[in-house]
Amino acid sequence: MITLLKSAKIIDASSPFHQQTKDILISDGIIKKIANSIPNKKEYQLVKKENLHVSCGWFDTSVSFGEPGYEERETIKKGLQVAAKSGFTAVAVNANSNPVIDNKSAVEFLINKANGFATKLYPIPSLTQGSKGIEMAELYDMQQSGAIAFGDYKKPIENDNLMKVSLLYAQNFDGLILSFPKNNAIAGAGIAHEGINSTKLGLKGSPALAEHIQIARDLFLLEYTGGKLHIPTISSAKSVELIKDAKKKGLQVTCSVTSHHLVLTDNELHEFDSNFKTNPPLRTNSDTKALQKGVNSGVIDIITSDHNPMDIEHKKVEFSEAKDGVIGLETAFGAVNSVLELEKFIEKITSNPRRIFGIETTSISEGKTADISLFNPDEKYTFTKGYILSTSKNSPFINKKLIGKVYGVFANNQLILNS
């Protein structure tokens, strides 16, 4: 199959065609030619879209699918289809399934289940057995089977020595350790950011201090042990400062922020809509602004959707009883594109995550494998339930105005487009 992308503006700092509008000819999954104009022959699969932009394929480093165990939330097949139509050619899948992904057989199950799809799946199995935070899992065996990092999803490692030993042990095979930034003793039973809104609404507060203490502990341990640490989904201004200072010291620490924490605040909680119940919780406007600044300055390395489907039985209940989590694949681009420069978003979701998680980088250049996201960064629209592709519908962006629509991807020699 030969595919021709017509009049595509290339956003790829590693490409000689960066910021240029070109035709792109792809044959057998390889970019054969990039030129001002390539004649359209009848046998070509033609892609011609309004204001078409292309970049290297987007990589989401924190995605949850229900399978195995919670298929009613999202299967791997459905999740990868949603990811492709949302512009992602690769996703890193968390271990929060049933059973938990904590051994080499489970890692291989995920990889085999995802074989043949346009979007590639990379497992992030749990750091500890059963994600219980007691005994370290068989990290080396899982890496040999295809794991790219290790972390207990949304569960902090409370045992200081266990985190220390994990950071030391992973250095033997250049492993990447994830540590969720939350101190449970400080957070307690909090379900919203501790502040004015939680007080007004009568919701138990979870202070940002719980995040700061955990990050500070992990950074002290990292300074002692060496190794590589990734702190997923930070949410506060102070967290940005802590990580900024650690990077100045030369520590190998990276971090991510979710698309919803970059644009939403705890002001959204006044309707007690459980679609806004997240972990970490939505925080203040000053935190959101600090996170945006952290992305622009380079302190924050990665933007993730933190896609976490929840079925209606766990979401359409009282706010205090609802489970945390939002779906985010479909809205990650449109949400963040409204507050960040396009090239900054592309950097945080293409080259940076691949470098940090040890995945080969790509380039939109002749002779390279075609791994491409297709989108229109300028289209404005209101996101409604009709735009939701996921099995679960727990989106915090329903009826929100977004800027930027995704057309689809070309990856693994497959063209996947939104209808």
Side-chain angles (χ1 to χ4, degrees):
M1 175 67 74
I2 301 176
T3 302
L4 177 61
L5 310 181
K6 291 292 289 184
S7 300
K9 186 170 184 178
I10 298 170
I11 310 296
D12 176 12
S14 68
S15 169
F17 304 101
H18 180 48
Q19 289 288 2
Q20 299 178 40
T21 300
K22 300 286 185 180
D23 287 1
I24 303 172
L25 187 68
I26 303 168
S27 178
D28 295 325
I30 304 296
I31 300 173
K32 295 296 185 181
K33 187 176 182 181
I34 301 176
N36 289 331
S37 181
I38 299 174
N40 177 26
K41 296 183 179 180
K42 288 183 179 180
E43 69 269 23
Y44 291 173
Q45 182 176 229
L46 181 66
V47 179
K48 190 174 184 180
K49 299 285 187 180
E50 180 181 356
N51 194 32
L52 176 61
H53 284 56
V54 297
S55 74
C56 293
W58 302 348
F59 178 24
D60 194 332
T61 59
S62 180
V63 169
S64 299
F65 299 143
E67 190 174 4
Y70 303 116
E71 286 83 357
E72 71 278 4
R73 298 176 184 176
E74 194 111 278
T75 63
I76 291 171
K77 176 181 179 180
K78 178 67 171 179
L80 292 175
Q81 290 171 341
V82 172
K85 291 188 175 183
S86 301
F88 295 93
T89 64
V91 292
V93 173
N94 299 306
N96 58 328
S97 55
N98 185 20
V100 169
I101 307 301
D102 66 353
N103 59 77
K104 63 178 295 182
S105 296
V107 168
E108 290 165 0
F109 166 81
L110 284 184
I111 293 173
N112 292 333
K113 195 80 175 180
N115 188 43
F117 288 89
T119 298
K120 188 163 185 179
L121 183 153
Y122 294 97
I124 299 181
S126 60
L127 177 63
T128 66
Q129 295 176 22
S131 284
K132 294 178 180 178
I134 300 173
E135 297 287 340
M136 190 168 61
E138 295 289 345
L139 307 189
Y140 179 73
D141 284 351
M142 292 192 291
Q143 189 192 57
Q144 292 298 297
S145 294
I148 60 169
F150 312 93
D152 291 0
Y153 182 66
K154 300 296 184 187
K155 294 181 178 180
I157 303 299
E158 296 181 349
N159 185 316
D160 304 332
N161 191 59
L162 178 59
M163 176 56 69
K164 184 197 76 173
V165 171
S166 298
L167 286 166
L168 287 168
Y169 176 69
Q171 292 177 57
N172 292 310
F173 49 90
D174 198 31
L176 178 64
I177 299 298
L178 276 60
S179 180
F180 183 62
K182 183 179 181 180
N183 180 294
N184 280 332
I186 297 293
I191 57 175
H193 171 67
E194 184 179 81
I196 293 173
N197 283 319
S198 65
T199 303
K200 283 181 177 179
L201 299 172
L203 298 173
K204 291 182 179 179
S206 176
L209 177 66
E211 182 169 300
H212 308 154
I213 286 178
Q214 195 75 0
I215 289 175
R217 183 211 68 169
D218 287 340
L219 293 175
F220 273 118
L221 289 173
L222 181 66
E223 189 172 10
Y224 178 80
T225 61
K228 297 190 300 184
L229 174 69
H230 180 71
I231 302 174
T233 63
I234 67 170
S235 66
S236 77
K238 181 65 174 178
S239 298
V240 176
E241 290 301 315
L242 289 169
I243 293 167
K244 179 181 178 181
D245 292 343
K247 286 187 171 186
K248 283 182 179 178
K249 289 183 178 179
L251 300 183
Q252 288 193 78
V253 59
T254 56
C255 65
S256 69
V257 65
T258 75
S259 51
H260 46 276
H261 280 98
L262 283 172
V263 296
L264 300 176
T265 71
D266 62 346
N267 289 329
E268 303 284 353
L269 302 183
H270 285 270
E271 298 298 323
F272 297 97
D273 184 345
S274 62
N275 284 335
F276 295 102
K277 189 177 183 185
T278 66
N279 187 17
L282 298 176
R283 301 205 187 272
T284 66
N285 185 61
S286 60
D287 289 310
T288 299
K289 295 299 181 185
L291 293 170
Q292 293 173 10
K293 185 177 179 181
V295 169
N296 287 322
S297 68
V299 175
I300 297 176
D301 305 275
I302 292 172
I303 296 170
T304 173
S305 74
D306 202 26
H307 182 80
N308 190 8
M310 285 293 163
D311 56 278
I312 194 169
E313 290 184 2
H314 290 101
K315 271 296 184 181
K316 204 168 183 61
V317 293
E318 223 177 287
F319 190 90
S320 60
E321 300 299 320
K323 284 191 175 291
D324 303 317
V326 305
I327 56 171
L329 286 169
E330 298 100 313
T331 54
F333 176 51
V336 175
N337 188 46
S338 63
V339 296
L340 294 180
E341 294 293 328
L342 177 61
E343 284 193 49
K344 187 61 65 174
F345 170 80
I346 297 299
E347 173 195 347
K348 303 296 180 181
I349 211 154
T350 57
S351 56
N352 274 17
R354 283 185 167 84
R355 171 178 54 81
I356 291 165
F357 282 82
I359 308 300
E360 185 179 358
T361 57
T362 59
S363 175
I364 301 180
S365 305
E366 292 178 349
K368 297 288 187 179
T369 299
D371 190 87
I372 300 172
S373 299
L374 300 85
F375 54 94
N376 177 353
D378 299 325
E379 185 168 348
K380 298 179 181 180
Y381 64 105
T382 299
F383 185 80
T384 63
K385 285 186 178 179
Y387 287 106
I388 294 178
L389 304 170
S390 302
T391 302
S392 296
K393 311 301 179 186
N394 52 308
S395 171
F397 289 101
I398 295 171
N399 297 325
K400 299 286 186 185
K401 292 182 179 179
L402 305 183
I403 304 174
K405 268 193 175 180
V406 174
Y407 290 129
V409 300
F410 189 102
N412 196 21
N413 199 20
Q414 299 174 56
L415 176 67
I416 307 293
L417 295 176
N418 280 300
S419 53

